[in-house]
Amino acid sequence: DAGVTQSPTHLIKTRGQQVTLRCSPKSGHDTVSWYQQALGQGPQFIFQYYEEEERQRGNFPDRFSGHQFPNYSSELNVNALLLGDSALYLCASSTYDRPGNTIYFGEGSWLTVV
Amino acid sequence: AQTVTQSQPEMSVQEAETVTLSCTYDTSESDYYLFWYKQPPSRQMILVIRQEAYKQQNATENRFSVNFQKAAKSFSLKISDSQLGDAAMYFCAYRSAETGTASKLTFGTGTRLQVTL
């Protein structure tokens, strides 16, 4: 049973460019959330997707957007990249109607903006 | 909004000894979950232990146990018989019990644990 998978593992982008990160949730999970973890910090919640809709959003600008597909996989898009967007982006999956269930994390995508 | 505070940026423990990591949180909710996650250099978040707020009994998982004080909003992690493999960043996290918030975790800033010989 595959856990949460993310791609790419590492990438380097130039300021002003756009980036797309991808995530496949653990089998049986229907909810995907994205987190940003800056160096030396705890992860910060970006947003959550369920039934192909954004359900909750953290304190992130509109440059951060996402999508969820019918197979529950998800993408995180960041436009007009800033140097401060350099971070580890973690994807997490769970089940929407069972808040007691364990949240599983992927290994993350390292984004460096130069 | 909920907040989670970890006041110990770094801790050190000798192998086979016991160490306690501290965490406090703030919330107006009565039902919620608390977690300790471990993040080794590989950066993948690994669940160490979880506590349901409605349960008075402290959770235990092998060498890991918590001291949950709901009134004081305190949630500390005790690691017994520390091993070299325990060295990592440890994050305390909060999650509401409200349906629809299933994957929204609020994390603290972390405590880096070093294990020495």
Side-chain angles (χ1 to χ4, degrees):
Chain A
D1 177 23
V4 181
T5 58
Q6 293 187 241
S7 63
T9 306
H10 295 84
L11 69 168
I12 300 173
K13 289 287 188 178
T14 302
R15 192 171 44 184
Q17 285 188 317
Q18 178 262 346
V19 67
T20 297
L21 309 178
R22 296 176 177 81
C23 172
S24 291
K26 180 178 172 60
S27 178
H29 285 184
D30 56 13
T31 302
V32 172
S33 291
W34 289 91
Y35 291 80
Q36 179 195 65
Q37 186 178 15
L39 204 58
Q41 301 294 317
Q44 298 290 317
F45 176 78
I46 303 175
F47 43 52
Q48 171 197 69
Y49 274 83
Y50 169 68
E51 289 188 333
E52 303 178 47
E53 290 186 11
E54 183 183 296
R55 299 290 178 157
Q56 280 198 302
R57 189 179 184 91
N59 188 26
F60 280 81
D62 292 344
R63 297 188 297 109
F64 290 77
S65 63
H67 188 77
Q68 186 180 33
F69 300 93
N71 67 353
Y72 307 118
S73 66
S74 176
E75 289 182 349
L76 164 65
N77 301 293
V78 186
N79 295 322
L81 285 167
L82 304 173
L83 296 178
D85 295 330
S86 295
L88 177 70
Y89 289 85
L90 295 166
C91 173
S93 76
S94 61
T95 49
Y96 188 78
D97 61 351
R98 297 184 181 181
N101 279 8
T102 298
I103 296 173
Y104 290 87
F105 284 84
E107 293 187 355
S109 294
W110 274 107
L111 171 64
T112 301
V113 182
V114 297
Chain B
Q2 296 84 22
T3 58
V4 177
T5 302
Q6 294 179 251
S7 58
Q8 304 158 316
E10 290 190 14
M11 293 284 285
S12 183
V13 62
Q14 283 192 321
E15 199 177 17
E17 296 297 309
T18 296
V19 65
T20 298
L21 308 184
S22 301
C23 172
T24 58
Y25 60 95
D26 190 27
T27 183
S28 59
E29 298 179 325
S30 59
D31 197 12
Y32 47 87
Y33 299 87
L34 296 167
F35 304 86
W36 280 97
Y37 278 89
K38 170 185 177 180
Q39 189 177 44
S42 68
R43 304 294 279 182
Q44 183 166 21
M45 285 286 186
I46 301 166
L47 178 65
V48 174
I49 198 166
R50 56 177 278 165
Q51 174 80 41
E52 290 89 346
Y54 63 86
K55 290 186 177 179
Q56 292 186 345
Q57 186 174 6
N58 289 325
T60 299
E61 288 286 344
N62 300 314
R63 298 182 295 108
F64 299 87
S65 61
V66 299
N67 183 4
F68 172 50
Q69 302 289 329
K70 191 172 183 179
K73 295 181 181 175
S74 171
F75 182 61
S76 61
L77 173 69
K78 185 172 81 170
I79 306 174
S80 304
D81 186 24
S82 296
Q83 301 175 0
L84 294 177
D86 295 333
M89 281 291 286
Y90 285 81
F91 290 97
C92 178
Y94 172 102
R95 175 171 150 195
S96 171
E98 181 181 342
T99 299
T101 64
S103 56
K104 181 182 179 183
L105 288 165
T106 301
F107 286 89
T109 52
T111 296
R112 182 173 300 282
L113 179 65
Q114 292 184 320
V115 181
T116 59
L117 293 172

